[in-house]
Amino acid sequence: MRFYSLSDNPNKPCSVLQFKQVSIMLDCGLDLSSSLHFLPLPVVEKGVSMPLNNPDLVDGELRDCGSGGTTLVDSEPEFLPPQEELFSFSDIDTILISNYTCMLALPFITEKTGFRGKVYATEPSVLLGRIFMEEMQEYLGRAPRHYQATKWKTVLAQLPPPLCDIKDVNSLRTLYTKEIMEASLAKVQMVGYNEKMSVFGLLDVCPVSSGYCLGSCNWVITTGYEKIVYLSSSSTLTTHPKAMDQTSIRGADCMIMTALTQTPTQMPDPMIGDFCRIVCETLKASGNVLVPCYPSGIIYDLFECLSTQMDMNGLTTIPLFFFSPVADSSLAYSNIMAEWLSTAKHNRVYVPEEPFVHGSLVRGGRLKSFPCLGSETVTAEYRQPCVVFTGHPSLRCGDVVHFMELWGSSPNNLVVFTEPSFNHQLALAPFQPLAMKTVHCPIDTSLNFTQARKLIREAKPACLVVPQRYTSPPASAPTRMELVIDPDIPTFPYRKLDIIKLPVVRTLEHLELAPELAQRLVPCEVRPGVAVATVTGNLIVKDNKYTLALLEDPEEGEVTQEHKRLKRDNSSSRGSSVPVSSSTTTSQFPLTKQKPKHYLYGSLNSTEFVSRLNSRGITDAKVETGRDGGFPVQIHLPQEESLIQVVEDETHVLYDQVDGTPPVQTEGLREVLRETILSCVNKF
């Protein structure tokens, strides 16, 4: 089994697993952090900052931003899809999606690449993944750039940091179109938890709940005798998704673990508490709060926790605004996916109540959603102070850009970063100098290293595959050795573009016995409780399924596939000078008569052997046994110049040819010894 790594970001994973002639892609995450190197796309066009002092180097494609002198690219943001050079996407048979955050690169893989395989994902992953894609397309389409900056990529080494540190700059791509997105999503087949799907009859894939977000799953890949577990973006915390299934991932021959927490030194529960406290303090001071966020995920929990804290602090009249072109879809979908929710929220559906608190917040008018700032109802509903949830969390596109410019000059206002995927300092660079307060409060519910090690101990996989960075402490805490994965099992760390040969080897295959052949078996008991039967049949391989059928000789005159093949071979050889073998033109010996009459097992019974020799006229046998009458046993026949050596699993007959002995006598002795030995050995 081989493992190919196509991504450098463990939390936006993409890899390929080759096993039993099947190529399976595990996730197709799109790394959005590269967008931080580009200028924000404003809602309202305005003049940009001055270009670099040397505009001839890059034709004015770069701009100095803010008081810190950060240099950014003045072009439409570009993103980093999985690497295509290592493994051709046209050779992918199946793509397994673990959650909606890991499928944004799907159109880059399935469209215009020759991809002909299948894509499997849960229903929430498909619906919410579409929402994420549509939001990005809408944001980028509101303020399109009229040109594409490319020259800066050719002089990357001469540019100031952080531009000069960008990896794989030539692999950056602009976002796909809506048409390409629709064509890609049309290839996805929805599956449910614990639903097994066969891949060419060679192996089965089955999603099990991972507890991270709506519809998130881990994948269990099984054959008749092997089991591989792909564990991505999992959580053992009690939040809104269905609890993680830890039973199905146990006992694997290989576990592939990725997408652990991006904030190993910060726990999510204290972060949510700090978030609510800081927001309430700002609102009490008549300040506004901006929360850059994705349209789904942890935002549902933030609505619930924040509204509760606001009620406790007497801030019930302050509105919550949710700006996103897919806001209504996100809020609606979350309330109709009861089977994908935690037990507590699932049970609320039957009360009947809406599983999420934001449903009642919308009905009560406390939470209001708008597709964009230009919506007609914004003017009538908008008031301050307020809390605004909007995208994009990179601060490079969407309504968040306008709110940063609108509120950035007031120290009473606050922007809170809860998304751990982006460097908040680099995100703020183009808005400097900034008077509003900024708080980094990353919330990541994925498994931390302590939880991951405990999970590995309980799951007991035979070997483990993890990203290289998980085997050493993070840069933010280089001395904390507990923030690593160091199990007592064979571990295979990988980097981007690595190819790893894993110790999972196919040794057995499942074979189905045809009923008519099974009826003809005659088991023979070789020892108490153990019976053996010989089987002779016709092995049929169809759709990678192995079947042993009844072996029948063709009737006289019947034309079989073998006859057709021989006829083709004969006809093709007539035109050449190679003579046709007579064996191919004559009828073959019947297959049903080619099998042996019986099979031998066990050791030679030396006492019975000597007794039978006496009955056949050979009376001079001398027997020497091993210690305590056991093996080895030597039986000497002086007159016949023969020695029979018997060990536990072998019998050897040594014969010394005497001069003048007629060949007929020698052959007769050989036949007597052979028949006597066969009569003294167990057979079936």
Side-chain angles (χ1 to χ4, degrees), residues 501-646:
K501 186 175 181 180
L502 300 175
V504 179
V505 183
R506 52 186 296 196
T507 55
L508 298 172
E509 283 289 354
H510 179 78
L511 185 143
E512 188 173 305
L513 210 60
E516 57 272 16
L517 178 60
Q519 291 177 351
R520 300 193 180 190
L521 298 183
V522 182
C524 175
E525 189 174 36
V526 295
R527 63 172 181 264
V530 179
V532 178
T534 60
V535 181
T536 301
N538 182 25
L539 181 62
I540 300 173
V541 182
K542 183 178 181 181
D543 295 334
N544 296 307
K545 299 288 187 181
Y546 296 83
T547 305
L548 194 62
L550 190 65
L551 181 63
E552 296 179 347
D553 289 319
E555 299 291 338
E556 186 176 351
E558 182 181 352
V559 180
T560 64
Q561 293 294 330
E562 180 68 13
H563 292 154
K564 293 180 181 178
R565 185 185 64 79
L566 292 175
K567 186 176 181 180
R568 287 196 304 269
D569 294 344
N570 293 340
S571 61
S572 61
S573 62
R574 290 194 186 101
S576 63
S577 59
V578 180
V580 180
S581 174
S582 60
S583 63
T584 62
T585 58
T586 59
S587 60
Q588 300 293 315
F589 189 72
L591 292 174
T592 54
K593 297 181 180 179
Q594 292 182 19
K595 63 180 180 179
K597 292 182 179 180
H598 51 252
Y599 296 86
L600 306 179
Y601 72 95
S603 304
L604 177 67
N605 189 327
S606 57
T607 303
E608 184 182 357
F609 176 70
V610 172
S611 176
R612 288 180 181 269
L613 286 179
N614 287 332
S615 66
R616 304 194 66 161
I618 301 177
T619 59
D620 61 340
K622 298 180 179 180
V623 181
E624 297 180 9
T625 63
R627 182 179 299 178
D628 299 328
F631 296 105
V633 178
Q634 292 191 353
I635 304 172
H636 186 216
L637 307 178
Q639 295 182 5
E640 289 76 13
E641 297 292 337
S642 301
L643 178 67
I644 296 95
Q645 296 179 337
V646 182

Side-chain angles (χ1 to χ4, degrees), residues 76-297:
E76 180 179 340
E78 298 181 15
F79 312 100
L80 187 61
Q83 203 76 19
E84 186 176 6
E85 288 75 13
L86 185 65
F87 199 97
S88 175
F89 295 160
S90 60
D91 295 332
I92 300 294
D93 298 310
T94 302
I95 299 177
L96 305 181
I97 305 297
S98 61
N99 61 78
Y100 52 79
T101 68
C102 295
M103 68 177 296
L104 300 187
L106 186 64
F108 288 118
I109 296 170
T110 63
E111 304 309 306
K112 301 181 181 180
T113 60
F115 174 80
R116 296 169 297 171
K118 290 186 176 181
V119 185
Y120 295 115
T122 62
E123 182 183 5
S125 294
V126 178
L127 296 177
L128 297 176
R130 175 189 291 274
I131 283 178
F132 273 54
M133 295 179 185
E134 290 176 347
E135 184 187 61
M136 283 293 297
Q137 290 171 346
E138 174 69 20
Y139 284 159
L140 296 176
R142 288 179 183 176
R145 296 296 189 188
H146 302 295
Y147 57 91
Q148 188 68 37
T150 57
K151 191 171 182 179
W152 67 278
K153 299 179 182 180
T154 63
V155 293
L156 194 68
Q158 305 176 45
L159 302 180
L163 290 180
C164 61
D165 300 325
I166 301 178
K167 298 179 181 179
D168 303 315
V169 64
N170 293 320
S171 299
L172 295 178
R173 304 268 297 275
T174 56
L175 197 66
Y176 34 78
T177 64
K178 184 175 179 60
E179 291 73 22
I180 291 178
M181 179 201 76
E182 293 290 351
S184 178
L185 292 177
K187 294 181 172 66
V188 182
Q189 180 175 340
M190 297 183 188
V191 294
Y193 286 152
N194 302 310
E195 179 181 355
K196 283 189 176 182
M197 306 298 296
S198 176
V199 181
F200 304 135
L202 291 170
L203 45 81
D204 294 327
V205 296
C206 176
V208 296
S209 177
S210 71
Y212 175 69
C213 61
L214 284 175
S216 64
C217 63
N218 296 316
W219 287 93
V220 180
I221 305 169
T222 55
T223 66
Y225 303 94
E226 296 88 17
K227 179 179 180 180
I228 300 101
V229 169
Y230 174 60
L231 193 128
S232 172
S233 296
S234 300
S235 177
T236 56
L237 302 178
T238 303
T239 55
H240 64 270
K242 190 172 184 177
M244 180 181 180
D245 182 353
Q246 301 185 42
T247 303
S248 301
I249 63 175
R250 293 175 181 170
D253 297 288
C254 178
M255 175 182 284
I256 303 169
M257 176 178 283
T258 187
L260 299 183
T261 180
Q262 301 174 73
T263 58
T265 60
Q266 297 160 311
M267 297 298 291
D269 287 344
M271 287 294 101
I272 293 179
D274 290 344
F275 168 82
C276 296
R277 176 181 55 81
I278 295 170
V279 170
C280 289
E281 290 175 355
T282 303
L283 294 176
K284 288 180 179 179
S286 300
N288 301 299
V289 179
L290 178 63
V291 185
C293 62
Y294 285 121
S296 180

Side-chain angles (χ1 to χ4, degrees), residues 388-448:
V388 171
F389 295 85
T390 187
H392 189 266
S394 65
L395 306 189
R396 292 300 179 266
C397 58
D399 296 313
V400 70
V401 177
H402 177 76
F403 281 104
M404 286 297 298
E405 296 170 346
L406 179 66
W407 292 346
S409 58
S410 173
N412 292 333
N413 299 327
L414 169 71
V415 55
V416 187
F417 292 89
T418 60
E419 175 54 49
S421 300
F422 297 97
N423 183 324
H424 72 289
Q425 295 178 337
L426 188 55
L428 289 169
F431 302 98
Q432 299 294 351
L434 196 65
M436 71 187 303
K437 296 187 293 290
T438 62
V439 174
H440 187 227
C441 194
I443 302 172
D444 193 342
T445 59
S446 301
L447 291 173
N448 59 34

